[in-house]
Amino acid sequence: MRVLVNTPAVNSHLYNLVPTAWALRAAGHEVCVATQPNLVEETKRTGLTAVAVGEELPTARGNLDTSDTPYGLGVDITETDPATLTLPYVREVFRAYTSVVAEYMAGDSTLSDLVDFARVWRPDLVLWDAHNYAAPVMARAVGLPHVRIIPAPDHWARMRAIFLDLVRDDPAAAADDPLADYLGGKLARYGHEFDEEMVVGQATLEPIPTCLRVHADVDYRPVRHVPYSGPSVIPAWLRRRPKRRRVCLTLGQTRRALGSAESDDSGAVGLLSAIADLDVEVIATLNASQIPPGTPIPDNVRLFDYVPLNALLPTCAAVVHLGGMGTVNAAVVHGVPQVGMPGNIWGEAGIMREMAARGVALVAEPGNLVAQLARVLDEPSFTDAAMQLRKEMLATPSPRDIVPDVEEIAGVRAKGDGHGRR
């Protein structure tokens, strides 16, 4: 069969899809990744076929994090406080996140090009990143089955479940539905109407720890996270055992991709200064834009623009990060204890609270980072808990294992069925 993969032009979202895409490819299926033009070259570097759709995804302006809500929207799709989650608040979440975030990730030009390409290439299935709502609209327009894959906790589905519960017994309230209006308007261009399948797909692949699953009526298919961070070379120094306990400091790739700036309190300079006095070797994966010229670098810190986490983390006693899902997943796979200084893009604080509840991490602020990192390094319980969570992740079906599930959704009985043309 042919599988059309769709992702916005953000490296971390592409990398989250690559293991499943390659599992499908290795099973004998054709795979093509449709994305905005500025991710085409990176997609080609994964070894997968790429096609450009829509206009380039622009770099975000300013800081993605704010002290109150992400993107300065005034509301947060990852909000969990029951007192805050009133019907007006939830409505505003969908009004803001569809018109700003969803439209930014995949607007009308992307949708139009996706539909045109699908009609020519004739895929049998669409596999789409959960932040890319042009994909399910295209799938419905062309008449294709579609499967969603989440790059982080599924707050789209969780918030949708809250909205449906709030309006369950009030038809008038249910009629004021910004998410249905947004997707319904796009579907109407192709002669279709909105339904809840547009929000969550026909199934959802879940390559995150199951402890981060949200409460929603969704057909989740757990899949093991396989770390992938682009073409990599393992440097010679990484093949030698470190003389001191090694700590990885990373701010993740999403902020680089979207052009986010860091604040003075939680930025790279402050982090480097905070851990300078610990008896550790710090490997900081930071680029020039994250370290201002003239910044003093402590003697125990080594700076690298990029080191593959999949190679680095097995040599580390701990990792310090901002709570991004890619880093959390990689740390879980390798059983590495974590210290999180959560950002505010997609529920990082909630992710780190759950990691702390599982005993694999501590949450830190600039003022107590050294103390929290020292605890994680010195108390064996954190490593023990991290290894237990690792066992749980490794027991989850691999991308290869879930290929038959995807084939079944696509209506392909077996790999020998070819393209499954209808």
Side-chain angles (χ1 to χ4, degrees), residues 120-168:
V120 172
W121 197 61
R122 298 177 60 210
D124 300 285
L125 177 82
V126 179
L127 176 64
W128 55 282
D129 175 90
H131 292 209
N132 205 59
Y133 275 109
V137 174
M138 174 270 290
R140 178 63 57 81
V142 182
L144 299 172
H146 56 105
V147 174
R148 195 175 58 131
I149 184 167
I150 57 174
D154 194 6
H155 293 293
W156 282 108
R158 181 187 65 87
M159 195 64 76
R160 185 65 182 172
I162 293 171
F163 174 81
L164 293 176
D165 186 58
L166 288 169
V167 303
R168 190 173 311 279

mmCIF file of all heavy atoms in Angstrom, residues 120-168:
data_model
loop_
_atom_site.group_PDB
_atom_site.id
_atom_site.type_symbol
_atom_site.label_atom_id
_atom_site.label_comp_id
_atom_site.label_asym_id
_atom_site.label_seq_id
_atom_site.Cartn_x
_atom_site.Cartn_y
_atom_site.Cartn_z
ATOM 1 N N VAL A 120 -3.458 12.794 -6.989
ATOM 2 C CA VAL A 120 -2.548 12.315 -8.027
ATOM 3 C C VAL A 120 -1.815 11.053 -7.569
ATOM 4 O O VAL A 120 -1.719 10.063 -8.305
ATOM 5 C CB VAL A 120 -1.534 13.418 -8.397
ATOM 6 C CG1 VAL A 120 -0.459 12.867 -9.321
ATOM 7 C CG2 VAL A 120 -2.241 14.601 -9.045
ATOM 8 N N TRP A 121 -1.290 11.063 -6.342
ATOM 9 C CA TRP A 121 -0.457 9.947 -5.854
ATOM 10 C C TRP A 121 -1.302 8.762 -5.402
ATOM 11 O O TRP A 121 -0.838 7.635 -5.396
ATOM 12 C CB TRP A 121 0.434 10.442 -4.705
ATOM 13 C CG TRP A 121 1.578 9.537 -4.401
ATOM 14 C CD1 TRP A 121 2.599 9.179 -5.225
ATOM 15 C CD2 TRP A 121 1.817 8.861 -3.145
ATOM 16 N NE1 TRP A 121 3.479 8.345 -4.569
ATOM 17 C CE2 TRP A 121 3.016 8.133 -3.292
ATOM 18 C CE3 TRP A 121 1.144 8.817 -1.928
ATOM 19 C CZ2 TRP A 121 3.554 7.355 -2.260
ATOM 20 C CZ3 TRP A 121 1.677 8.051 -0.894
ATOM 21 C CH2 TRP A 121 2.863 7.328 -1.060
ATOM 22 N N ARG A 122 -2.537 9.004 -4.994
ATOM 23 C CA ARG A 122 -3.498 7.973 -4.618
ATOM 24 C C ARG A 122 -2.983 7.073 -3.495
ATOM 25 O O ARG A 122 -2.804 5.860 -3.666
ATOM 26 C CB ARG A 122 -3.876 7.141 -5.839
ATOM 27 C CG ARG A 122 -4.551 7.934 -6.958
ATOM 28 C CD ARG A 122 -4.818 7.065 -8.163
ATOM 29 N NE ARG A 122 -5.692 5.940 -7.826
ATOM 30 C CZ ARG A 122 -5.671 4.762 -8.431
ATOM 31 N NH1 ARG A 122 -4.795 4.538 -9.404
ATOM 32 N NH2 ARG A 122 -6.510 3.808 -8.072
ATOM 33 N N PRO A 123 -2.762 7.627 -2.321
ATOM 34 C CA PRO A 123 -2.360 6.794 -1.180
ATOM 35 C C PRO A 123 -3.519 5.934 -0.690
ATOM 36 O O PRO A 123 -4.684 6.177 -1.022
ATOM 37 C CB PRO A 123 -1.960 7.821 -0.121
ATOM 38 C CG PRO A 123 -2.777 9.028 -0.447
ATOM 39 C CD PRO A 123 -2.880 9.047 -1.955
ATOM 40 N N ASP A 124 -3.179 4.930 0.118
ATOM 41 C CA ASP A 124 -4.186 4.070 0.736
ATOM 42 C C ASP A 124 -4.452 4.455 2.184
ATOM 43 O O ASP A 124 -5.448 4.027 2.769
ATOM 44 C CB ASP A 124 -3.717 2.614 0.696
ATOM 45 C CG ASP A 124 -3.488 2.136 -0.725
ATOM 46 O OD1 ASP A 124 -4.476 1.884 -1.430
ATOM 47 O OD2 ASP A 124 -2.306 2.042 -1.131
ATOM 48 N N LEU A 125 -3.553 5.241 2.774
ATOM 49 C CA LEU A 125 -3.668 5.608 4.183
ATOM 50 C C LEU A 125 -2.936 6.910 4.407
ATOM 51 O O LEU A 125 -1.908 7.178 3.769
ATOM 52 C CB LEU A 125 -3.049 4.514 5.067
ATOM 53 C CG LEU A 125 -3.038 4.782 6.572
ATOM 54 C CD1 LEU A 125 -4.408 4.434 7.174
ATOM 55 C CD2 LEU A 125 -1.944 3.986 7.273
ATOM 56 N N VAL A 126 -3.443 7.706 5.349
ATOM 57 C CA VAL A 126 -2.772 8.926 5.780
ATOM 58 C C VAL A 126 -2.334 8.745 7.232
ATOM 59 O O VAL A 126 -3.138 8.356 8.088
ATOM 60 C CB VAL A 126 -3.693 10.152 5.664
ATOM 61 C CG1 VAL A 126 -2.966 11.412 6.143
ATOM 62 C CG2 VAL A 126 -4.168 10.323 4.235
ATOM 63 N N LEU A 127 -1.069 8.997 7.499
ATOM 64 C CA LEU A 127 -0.526 9.001 8.860
ATOM 65 C C LEU A 127 -0.151 10.438 9.175
ATOM 66 O O LEU A 127 0.709 11.009 8.516
ATOM 67 C CB LEU A 127 0.700 8.088 8.951
ATOM 68 C CG LEU A 127 1.446 8.068 10.291
ATOM 69 C CD1 LEU A 127 0.569 7.513 11.402
ATOM 70 C CD2 LEU A 127 2.738 7.243 10.168
ATOM 71 N N TRP A 128 -0.805 11.030 10.186
ATOM 72 C CA TRP A 128 -0.636 12.471 10.387
ATOM 73 C C TRP A 128 -0.250 12.843 11.808
ATOM 74 O O TRP A 128 -0.696 12.247 12.776
ATOM 75 C CB TRP A 128 -1.891 13.219 9.962
ATOM 76 C CG TRP A 128 -3.199 12.821 10.585
ATOM 77 C CD1 TRP A 128 -3.956 11.738 10.264
ATOM 78 C CD2 TRP A 128 -3.929 13.545 11.598
ATOM 79 N NE1 TRP A 128 -5.116 11.726 11.004
ATOM 80 C CE2 TRP A 128 -5.128 12.813 11.828
ATOM 81 C CE3 TRP A 128 -3.701 14.720 12.310
ATOM 82 C CZ2 TRP A 128 -6.086 13.224 12.759
ATOM 83 C CZ3 TRP A 128 -4.658 15.132 13.230
ATOM 84 C CH2 TRP A 128 -5.823 14.390 13.454
ATOM 85 N N ASP A 129 0.629 13.836 11.891
ATOM 86 C CA ASP A 129 1.024 14.425 13.158
ATOM 87 C C ASP A 129 -0.175 15.124 13.786
ATOM 88 O O ASP A 129 -0.930 15.831 13.112
ATOM 89 C CB ASP A 129 2.153 15.431 12.929
ATOM 90 C CG ASP A 129 2.527 16.175 14.193
ATOM 91 O OD1 ASP A 129 3.405 15.686 14.925
ATOM 92 O OD2 ASP A 129 1.929 17.241 14.459
ATOM 93 N N ALA A 130 -0.357 14.945 15.093
ATOM 94 C CA ALA A 130 -1.576 15.393 15.767
ATOM 95 C C ALA A 130 -1.747 16.904 15.822
ATOM 96 O O ALA A 130 -2.815 17.380 16.207
ATOM 97 C CB ALA A 130 -1.604 14.833 17.190
ATOM 98 N N HIS A 131 -0.743 17.661 15.424
ATOM 99 C CA HIS A 131 -0.874 19.114 15.400
ATOM 100 C C HIS A 131 -1.158 19.626 13.983
ATOM 101 O O HIS A 131 -1.115 20.825 13.745
ATOM 102 C CB HIS A 131 0.402 19.770 15.937
ATOM 103 C CG HIS A 131 0.611 19.534 17.397
ATOM 104 N ND1 HIS A 131 1.278 20.424 18.209
ATOM 105 C CD2 HIS A 131 0.242 18.527 18.214
ATOM 106 C CE1 HIS A 131 1.307 19.963 19.438
ATOM 107 N NE2 HIS A 131 0.692 18.810 19.452
ATOM 108 N N ASN A 132 -1.423 18.722 13.071
ATOM 109 C CA ASN A 132 -1.497 19.070 11.658
ATOM 110 C C ASN A 132 -2.893 18.760 11.104
ATOM 111 O O ASN A 132 -3.096 17.764 10.422
ATOM 112 C CB ASN A 132 -0.437 18.285 10.878
ATOM 113 C CG ASN A 132 -0.026 18.972 9.603
ATOM 114 O OD1 ASN A 132 0.451 20.097 9.624
ATOM 115 N ND2 ASN A 132 -0.210 18.295 8.489
ATOM 116 N N TYR A 133 -3.869 19.637 11.393
ATOM 117 C CA TYR A 133 -5.259 19.313 11.096
ATOM 118 C C TYR A 133 -5.649 19.458 9.631
ATOM 119 O O TYR A 133 -6.788 19.148 9.270
ATOM 120 C CB TYR A 133 -6.186 20.123 11.994
ATOM 121 C CG TYR A 133 -6.390 19.450 13.331
ATOM 122 C CD1 TYR A 133 -5.831 19.959 14.488
ATOM 123 C CD2 TYR A 133 -7.119 18.270 13.407
ATOM 124 C CE1 TYR A 133 -6.005 19.312 15.706
ATOM 125 C CE2 TYR A 133 -7.304 17.619 14.610
ATOM 126 C CZ TYR A 133 -6.743 18.142 15.758
ATOM 127 O OH TYR A 133 -6.917 17.491 16.949
ATOM 128 N N ALA A 134 -4.730 19.860 8.778
ATOM 129 C CA ALA A 134 -5.017 19.783 7.350
ATOM 130 C C ALA A 134 -5.128 18.334 6.903
ATOM 131 O O ALA A 134 -5.870 18.017 5.959
ATOM 132 C CB ALA A 134 -3.929 20.503 6.549
ATOM 133 N N ALA A 135 -4.412 17.431 7.580
ATOM 134 C CA ALA A 135 -4.346 16.037 7.140
ATOM 135 C C ALA A 135 -5.674 15.297 7.234
ATOM 136 O O ALA A 135 -6.086 14.645 6.263
ATOM 137 C CB ALA A 135 -3.256 15.303 7.916
ATOM 138 N N PRO A 136 -6.383 15.323 8.375
ATOM 139 C CA PRO A 136 -7.654 14.604 8.394
ATOM 140 C C PRO A 136 -8.694 15.209 7.453
ATOM 141 O O PRO A 136 -9.536 14.480 6.917
ATOM 142 C CB PRO A 136 -8.094 14.699 9.860
ATOM 143 C CG PRO A 136 -7.380 15.883 10.405
ATOM 144 C CD PRO A 136 -6.073 15.898 9.696
ATOM 145 N N VAL A 137 -8.645 16.523 7.248
ATOM 146 C CA VAL A 137 -9.558 17.138 6.281
ATOM 147 C C VAL A 137 -9.253 16.602 4.883
ATOM 148 O O VAL A 137 -10.156 16.227 4.122
ATOM 149 C CB VAL A 137 -9.439 18.672 6.323
ATOM 150 C CG1 VAL A 137 -10.287 19.306 5.215
ATOM 151 C CG2 VAL A 137 -9.866 19.209 7.686
ATOM 152 N N MET A 138 -7.964 16.549 4.546
ATOM 153 C CA MET A 138 -7.583 16.000 3.248
ATOM 154 C C MET A 138 -8.020 14.547 3.123
ATOM 155 O O MET A 138 -8.546 14.128 2.087
ATOM 156 C CB MET A 138 -6.064 16.111 3.069
ATOM 157 C CG MET A 138 -5.517 15.444 1.821
ATOM 158 S SD MET A 138 -5.059 13.704 2.060
ATOM 159 C CE MET A 138 -3.617 13.885 3.091
ATOM 160 N N ALA A 139 -7.825 13.756 4.187
ATOM 161 C CA ALA A 139 -8.204 12.347 4.138
ATOM 162 C C ALA A 139 -9.702 12.188 3.873
ATOM 163 O O ALA A 139 -10.124 11.339 3.069
ATOM 164 C CB ALA A 139 -7.813 11.658 5.439
ATOM 165 N N ARG A 140 -10.510 13.006 4.535
ATOM 166 C CA ARG A 140 -11.951 12.926 4.317
ATOM 167 C C ARG A 140 -12.313 13.392 2.901
ATOM 168 O O ARG A 140 -13.178 12.798 2.251
ATOM 169 C CB ARG A 140 -12.661 13.779 5.362
ATOM 170 C CG ARG A 140 -14.184 13.832 5.233
ATOM 171 C CD ARG A 140 -14.835 12.464 5.434
ATOM 172 N NE ARG A 140 -14.510 11.861 6.703
ATOM 173 C CZ ARG A 140 -15.105 12.141 7.874
ATOM 174 N NH1 ARG A 140 -16.077 13.038 7.918
ATOM 175 N NH2 ARG A 140 -14.734 11.525 8.979
ATOM 176 N N ALA A 141 -11.641 14.444 2.432
ATOM 177 C CA ALA A 141 -11.942 14.971 1.103
ATOM 178 C C ALA A 141 -11.660 13.956 0.013
ATOM 179 O O ALA A 141 -12.384 13.867 -0.988
ATOM 180 C CB ALA A 141 -11.137 16.248 0.853
ATOM 181 N N VAL A 142 -10.598 13.152 0.216
ATOM 182 C CA VAL A 142 -10.185 12.204 -0.809
ATOM 183 C C VAL A 142 -10.751 10.807 -0.546
ATOM 184 O O VAL A 142 -10.670 9.922 -1.402
ATOM 185 C CB VAL A 142 -8.643 12.186 -0.910
ATOM 186 C CG1 VAL A 142 -8.142 11.259 -2.002
ATOM 187 C CG2 VAL A 142 -8.113 13.591 -1.172
ATOM 188 N N GLY A 143 -11.318 10.610 0.655
ATOM 189 C CA GLY A 143 -11.897 9.316 0.989
ATOM 190 C C GLY A 143 -10.894 8.284 1.451
ATOM 191 O O GLY A 143 -10.935 7.130 1.020
ATOM 192 N N LEU A 144 -9.989 8.701 2.357
ATOM 193 C CA LEU A 144 -8.926 7.819 2.817
ATOM 194 C C LEU A 144 -9.039 7.528 4.310
ATOM 195 O O LEU A 144 -9.411 8.404 5.091
ATOM 196 C CB LEU A 144 -7.559 8.462 2.554
ATOM 197 C CG LEU A 144 -7.203 8.758 1.105
ATOM 198 C CD1 LEU A 144 -5.919 9.556 1.036
ATOM 199 C CD2 LEU A 144 -7.061 7.455 0.328
ATOM 200 N N PRO A 145 -8.671 6.309 4.735
ATOM 201 C CA PRO A 145 -8.518 6.061 6.167
ATOM 202 C C PRO A 145 -7.324 6.843 6.695
ATOM 203 O O PRO A 145 -6.374 7.111 5.945
ATOM 204 C CB PRO A 145 -8.285 4.554 6.253
ATOM 205 C CG PRO A 145 -7.757 4.169 4.915
ATOM 206 C CD PRO A 145 -8.357 5.123 3.922
ATOM 207 N N HIS A 146 -7.367 7.190 7.973
ATOM 208 C CA HIS A 146 -6.268 8.002 8.497
ATOM 209 C C HIS A 146 -5.998 7.675 9.951
ATOM 210 O O HIS A 146 -6.904 7.413 10.747
ATOM 211 C CB HIS A 146 -6.556 9.496 8.310
ATOM 212 C CG HIS A 146 -7.835 9.976 8.918
ATOM 213 N ND1 HIS A 146 -7.881 10.709 10.087
ATOM 214 C CD2 HIS A 146 -9.128 9.836 8.524
ATOM 215 C CE1 HIS A 146 -9.137 11.008 10.369
ATOM 216 N NE2 HIS A 146 -9.919 10.496 9.438
ATOM 217 N N VAL A 147 -4.718 7.699 10.299
ATOM 218 C CA VAL A 147 -4.226 7.365 11.633
ATOM 219 C C VAL A 147 -3.399 8.536 12.130
ATOM 220 O O VAL A 147 -2.563 9.072 11.403
ATOM 221 C CB VAL A 147 -3.368 6.085 11.604
ATOM 222 C CG1 VAL A 147 -2.745 5.813 12.967
ATOM 223 C CG2 VAL A 147 -4.212 4.895 11.168
ATOM 224 N N ARG A 148 -3.646 8.916 13.362
ATOM 225 C CA ARG A 148 -2.943 10.035 13.984
ATOM 226 C C ARG A 148 -1.785 9.511 14.825
ATOM 227 O O ARG A 148 -1.845 8.413 15.375
ATOM 228 C CB ARG A 148 -3.940 10.783 14.882
ATOM 229 C CG ARG A 148 -3.539 12.149 15.339
ATOM 230 C CD ARG A 148 -4.696 12.807 16.110
ATOM 231 N NE ARG A 148 -5.100 12.020 17.261
ATOM 232 C CZ ARG A 148 -5.259 12.505 18.488
ATOM 233 N NH1 ARG A 148 -5.071 13.775 18.735
ATOM 234 N NH2 ARG A 148 -5.653 11.723 19.471
ATOM 235 N N ILE A 149 -0.724 10.290 14.948
ATOM 236 C CA ILE A 149 0.373 9.963 15.860
ATOM 237 C C ILE A 149 0.655 11.188 16.700
ATOM 238 O O ILE A 149 0.771 12.301 16.179
ATOM 239 C CB ILE A 149 1.628 9.473 15.099
ATOM 240 C CG1 ILE A 149 2.719 9.043 16.086
ATOM 241 C CG2 ILE A 149 2.139 10.501 14.110
ATOM 242 C CD1 ILE A 149 3.864 8.265 15.424
ATOM 243 N N ILE A 150 0.727 11.001 18.009
ATOM 244 C CA ILE A 150 0.917 12.149 18.901
ATOM 245 C C ILE A 150 2.401 12.335 19.215
ATOM 246 O O ILE A 150 3.123 11.373 19.445
ATOM 247 C CB ILE A 150 0.099 12.008 20.197
ATOM 248 C CG1 ILE A 150 0.446 10.720 20.949
ATOM 249 C CG2 ILE A 150 -1.389 12.063 19.905
ATOM 250 C CD1 ILE A 150 -0.224 10.609 22.306
ATOM 251 N N PRO A 151 2.868 13.592 19.229
ATOM 252 C CA PRO A 151 4.262 13.859 19.592
ATOM 253 C C PRO A 151 4.438 14.178 21.066
ATOM 254 O O PRO A 151 5.561 14.355 21.534
ATOM 255 C CB PRO A 151 4.589 15.096 18.739
ATOM 256 C CG PRO A 151 3.287 15.831 18.672
ATOM 257 C CD PRO A 151 2.196 14.781 18.680
ATOM 258 N N ALA A 152 3.339 14.263 21.825
ATOM 259 C CA ALA A 152 3.349 14.689 23.221
ATOM 260 C C ALA A 152 1.989 14.319 23.810
ATOM 261 O O ALA A 152 1.106 13.833 23.092
ATOM 262 C CB ALA A 152 3.593 16.193 23.311
ATOM 263 N N PRO A 153 1.776 14.528 25.119
ATOM 264 C CA PRO A 153 0.449 14.230 25.681
ATOM 265 C C PRO A 153 -0.672 14.857 24.861
ATOM 266 O O PRO A 153 -0.563 15.979 24.369
ATOM 267 C CB PRO A 153 0.541 14.833 27.085
ATOM 268 C CG PRO A 153 1.983 14.664 27.450
ATOM 269 C CD PRO A 153 2.729 14.939 26.173
ATOM 270 N N ASP A 154 -1.764 14.125 24.746
ATOM 271 C CA ASP A 154 -2.808 14.425 23.773
ATOM 272 C C ASP A 154 -3.823 15.437 24.323
ATOM 273 O O ASP A 154 -4.994 15.112 24.557
ATOM 274 C CB ASP A 154 -3.514 13.126 23.392
ATOM 275 C CG ASP A 154 -4.386 13.259 22.164
ATOM 276 O OD1 ASP A 154 -4.365 14.333 21.533
ATOM 277 O OD2 ASP A 154 -5.086 12.276 21.840
ATOM 278 N N HIS A 155 -3.383 16.681 24.447
ATOM 279 C CA HIS A 155 -4.264 17.689 25.027
ATOM 280 C C HIS A 155 -5.370 18.122 24.070
ATOM 281 O O HIS A 155 -6.395 18.635 24.523
ATOM 282 C CB HIS A 155 -3.442 18.893 25.501
ATOM 283 C CG HIS A 155 -2.552 18.557 26.652
ATOM 284 N ND1 HIS A 155 -3.052 18.227 27.887
ATOM 285 C CD2 HIS A 155 -1.192 18.470 26.746
ATOM 286 C CE1 HIS A 155 -2.044 17.962 28.705
ATOM 287 N NE2 HIS A 155 -0.913 18.099 28.044
ATOM 288 N N TRP A 156 -5.192 17.928 22.762
ATOM 289 C CA TRP A 156 -6.294 18.177 21.841
ATOM 290 C C TRP A 156 -7.488 17.290 22.214
ATOM 291 O O TRP A 156 -8.625 17.755 22.340
ATOM 292 C CB TRP A 156 -5.890 17.902 20.400
ATOM 293 C CG TRP A 156 -5.063 18.950 19.727
ATOM 294 C CD1 TRP A 156 -3.733 18.854 19.413
ATOM 295 C CD2 TRP A 156 -5.482 20.243 19.266
ATOM 296 N NE1 TRP A 156 -3.312 20.009 18.785
ATOM 297 C CE2 TRP A 156 -4.371 20.872 18.684
ATOM 298 C CE3 TRP A 156 -6.704 20.915 19.294
ATOM 299 C CZ2 TRP A 156 -4.423 22.148 18.121
ATOM 300 C CZ3 TRP A 156 -6.766 22.184 18.733
ATOM 301 C CH2 TRP A 156 -5.641 22.785 18.161
ATOM 302 N N ALA A 157 -7.227 15.999 22.390
ATOM 303 C CA ALA A 157 -8.306 15.063 22.712
ATOM 304 C C ALA A 157 -8.837 15.283 24.118
ATOM 305 O O ALA A 157 -10.043 15.184 24.366
ATOM 306 C CB ALA A 157 -7.811 13.627 22.547
ATOM 307 N N ARG A 158 -7.940 15.552 25.069
ATOM 308 C CA ARG A 158 -8.377 15.767 26.449
ATOM 309 C C ARG A 158 -9.288 16.983 26.557
ATOM 310 O O ARG A 158 -10.365 16.924 27.175
ATOM 311 C CB ARG A 158 -7.155 15.958 27.356
ATOM 312 C CG ARG A 158 -7.489 16.167 28.833
ATOM 313 C CD ARG A 158 -6.239 16.523 29.619
ATOM 314 N NE ARG A 158 -5.696 17.807 29.189
ATOM 315 C CZ ARG A 158 -6.082 18.982 29.691
ATOM 316 N NH1 ARG A 158 -7.012 19.042 30.628
ATOM 317 N NH2 ARG A 158 -5.529 20.097 29.252
ATOM 318 N N MET A 159 -8.887 18.089 25.936
ATOM 319 C CA MET A 159 -9.705 19.299 26.009
ATOM 320 C C MET A 159 -11.005 19.113 25.235
ATOM 321 O O MET A 159 -12.060 19.632 25.640
ATOM 322 C CB MET A 159 -8.919 20.494 25.471
ATOM 323 C CG MET A 159 -9.523 21.844 25.810
ATOM 324 S SD MET A 159 -9.584 22.235 27.580
ATOM 325 C CE MET A 159 -7.863 22.650 27.937
ATOM 326 N N ARG A 160 -10.968 18.349 24.151
ATOM 327 C CA ARG A 160 -12.197 18.073 23.414
ATOM 328 C C ARG A 160 -13.177 17.281 24.280
ATOM 329 O O ARG A 160 -14.389 17.525 24.273
ATOM 330 C CB ARG A 160 -11.877 17.304 22.142
ATOM 331 C CG ARG A 160 -13.096 17.075 21.238
ATOM 332 C CD ARG A 160 -13.630 18.382 20.719
ATOM 333 N NE ARG A 160 -14.826 18.208 19.898
ATOM 334 C CZ ARG A 160 -15.573 19.210 19.453
ATOM 335 N NH1 ARG A 160 -15.258 20.463 19.749
ATOM 336 N NH2 ARG A 160 -16.623 18.986 18.703
ATOM 337 N N ALA A 161 -12.656 16.299 25.026
ATOM 338 C CA ALA A 161 -13.517 15.514 25.911
ATOM 339 C C ALA A 161 -14.153 16.398 26.976
ATOM 340 O O ALA A 161 -15.330 16.216 27.328
ATOM 341 C CB ALA A 161 -12.710 14.389 26.553
ATOM 342 N N ILE A 162 -13.401 17.353 27.491
ATOM 343 C CA ILE A 162 -13.947 18.281 28.489
ATOM 344 C C ILE A 162 -15.055 19.118 27.875
ATOM 345 O O ILE A 162 -16.121 19.306 28.474
ATOM 346 C CB ILE A 162 -12.820 19.168 29.052
ATOM 347 C CG1 ILE A 162 -11.842 18.329 29.871
ATOM 348 C CG2 ILE A 162 -13.391 20.305 29.902
ATOM 349 C CD1 ILE A 162 -10.586 19.074 30.284
ATOM 350 N N PHE A 163 -14.835 19.620 26.657
ATOM 351 C CA PHE A 163 -15.863 20.431 25.991
ATOM 352 C C PHE A 163 -17.144 19.625 25.785
ATOM 353 O O PHE A 163 -18.251 20.098 26.094
ATOM 354 C CB PHE A 163 -15.341 20.932 24.649
ATOM 355 C CG PHE A 163 -16.376 21.655 23.828
ATOM 356 C CD1 PHE A 163 -16.672 22.981 24.070
ATOM 357 C CD2 PHE A 163 -17.080 20.989 22.828
ATOM 358 C CE1 PHE A 163 -17.643 23.649 23.330
ATOM 359 C CE2 PHE A 163 -18.051 21.637 22.082
ATOM 360 C CZ PHE A 163 -18.330 22.974 22.341
ATOM 361 N N LEU A 164 -17.013 18.403 25.276
ATOM 362 C CA LEU A 164 -18.196 17.593 25.007
ATOM 363 C C LEU A 164 -18.953 17.266 26.295
ATOM 364 O O LEU A 164 -20.189 17.200 26.300
ATOM 365 C CB LEU A 164 -17.794 16.310 24.282
ATOM 366 C CG LEU A 164 -17.240 16.493 22.865
ATOM 367 C CD1 LEU A 164 -16.786 15.161 22.289
ATOM 368 C CD2 LEU A 164 -18.254 17.159 21.954
ATOM 369 N N ASP A 165 -18.220 17.078 27.370
ATOM 370 C CA ASP A 165 -18.879 16.819 28.649
ATOM 371 C C ASP A 165 -19.628 18.059 29.140
ATOM 372 O O ASP A 165 -20.743 17.952 29.663
ATOM 373 C CB ASP A 165 -17.844 16.380 29.680
ATOM 374 C CG ASP A 165 -18.479 15.946 30.987
ATOM 375 O OD1 ASP A 165 -19.302 15.015 30.971
ATOM 376 O OD2 ASP A 165 -18.157 16.544 32.039
ATOM 377 N N LEU A 166 -19.041 19.236 28.952
ATOM 378 C CA LEU A 166 -19.667 20.470 29.418
ATOM 379 C C LEU A 166 -20.948 20.798 28.656
ATOM 380 O O LEU A 166 -21.861 21.428 29.204
ATOM 381 C CB LEU A 166 -18.674 21.632 29.294
ATOM 382 C CG LEU A 166 -17.511 21.644 30.290
ATOM 383 C CD1 LEU A 166 -16.472 22.697 29.887
ATOM 384 C CD2 LEU A 166 -18.004 21.913 31.707
ATOM 385 N N VAL A 167 -21.044 20.392 27.397
ATOM 386 C CA VAL A 167 -22.222 20.747 26.578
ATOM 387 C C VAL A 167 -23.151 19.563 26.347
ATOM 388 O O VAL A 167 -24.103 19.674 25.573
ATOM 389 C CB VAL A 167 -21.779 21.328 25.209
ATOM 390 C CG1 VAL A 167 -20.882 22.541 25.396
ATOM 391 C CG2 VAL A 167 -21.068 20.272 24.359
ATOM 392 N N ARG A 168 -22.888 18.462 27.028
ATOM 393 C CA ARG A 168 -23.610 17.221 26.742
ATOM 394 C C ARG A 168 -25.128 17.381 26.788
ATOM 395 O O ARG A 168 -25.863 16.840 25.967
ATOM 396 C CB ARG A 168 -23.172 16.128 27.724
ATOM 397 C CG ARG A 168 -23.669 14.739 27.365
ATOM 398 C CD ARG A 168 -23.065 13.683 28.264
ATOM 399 N NE ARG A 168 -21.630 13.818 28.365
ATOM 400 C CZ ARG A 168 -20.768 13.367 27.458
ATOM 401 N NH1 ARG A 168 -21.222 12.786 26.355
ATOM 402 N NH2 ARG A 168 -19.475 13.521 27.635
#
